Amino acid sequence: MHYDLNTADLQEAAPKLRAGDTVSLTGTVYTARDAAHKRIVAAMEAGEPLPFNLQGAAIYYAGPTPAKPGQVIGSCGPTTSGRMDPFAPRLLDAGLCCMIGKGVRGDAVAEAMARNGAVYMVAVGGAGALIAGAVKALEVVAYDDLGCESVKRLTVENFPAIVAMDCAGGSLYRDGAAAWKEK
C-alpha cells in the first residue's frame, strides 16, 4: 500500500502501517543523530525541557550538509539507525511515533515500537540530493554546536520513505529476505 500522510496524523496512522508500505510524508520532521539523542535523553533524565515535543513526532536520522546558495538544505541522506538504538526505546516511550533512517534495528527498539504503536521507516541511502528536494524549510532548534548534527525542524513535502518495521512485528529485513529466499 502507499500512503500520503501529514506528519500531524502519524500518531494515529503509525499503528496501521505495515512493513513494505510506501509513504510520502508532508509536514514536520526533526533531524537528530546519536550526539543529539544523547543530549535529549540526558535532558529527559534531568527533567529539563526538550528541544521539541516528542508526542507524535517523527525523527529523521540525518546530518544534512550546508545548503548551497538558492537551496534550503544540502544533501540530506539517512544515517545508520542502529547508532540510535540505545536511546530509541526511551524516546518511543515518551511519545515518539516515527523514526526514519537506514538499516536494521535491535530487539529493544522493536519491542518499544510494539508497546507504543510506532513505526520505523527507511529512506534510500545515497539519495540525499533527492530527499533534499522534499525539504521546503529548515530551522535549527537545538544543539547548534553540533553543526550538521544539530537538531533541525524540517518542513517536508512528499518526503519518500518505506515502512521497514511496524508495531505488529513486521520487518522488511526479516520478512523480505525470507520471501526472497522462497522464490
Side-chain angles (χ1 to χ4, degrees), residues 82-158:
R83 295 198 333 253
M84 274 51 75
D85 279 9
F87 313 105
R90 179 80 188 266
L91 299 182
L92 290 161
D93 289 341
L96 181 68
C97 74
C98 178
M99 304 162 290
I100 307 165
K102 68 178 182 183
V104 178
R105 306 306 299 270
D107 291 340
V109 175
E111 290 166 10
M113 288 172 51
R115 193 168 53 243
N116 294 290
V119 66
Y120 169 57
M121 300 181 191
V122 291
V124 178
L130 169 70
I131 294 168
V135 178
K136 303 306 176 190
L138 175 151
E139 176 189 4
V140 175
V141 296
Y143 317 135
D144 194 34
D145 62 302
L146 294 177
C148 70
E149 294 190 32
S150 63
V151 175
K152 297 169 183 65
R153 179 184 302 116
L154 305 181
T155 302
V156 299
E157 186 176 299
N158 296 319

Side-chain angles (χ1 to χ4, degrees), residues 8-96:
D9 302 325
L10 269 173
Q11 192 164 18
E12 180 182 332
K16 300 171 190 168
L17 298 174
R18 293 295 171 255
D21 290 346
T22 58
V23 179
S24 294
L25 294 173
T26 297
T28 301
V29 174
Y30 295 92
T31 64
R33 288 175 43 152
D34 39 330
H37 274 70
K38 184 176 182 179
R39 289 187 186 182
I40 291 167
V41 169
M44 292 171 77
E45 290 173 353
E48 298 171 354
L50 301 181
F52 60 93
N53 184 358
L54 288 172
Q55 193 61 49
I59 293 181
Y60 179 36
Y61 303 143
T65 62
K68 294 179 182 172
Q71 294 180 328
V72 172
I73 195 170
S75 183
C76 189
T79 196
T80 303
S81 301
R83 295 198 333 253
M84 274 51 75
D85 279 9
F87 313 105
R90 179 80 188 266
L91 299 182
L92 290 161
D93 289 341
L96 181 68

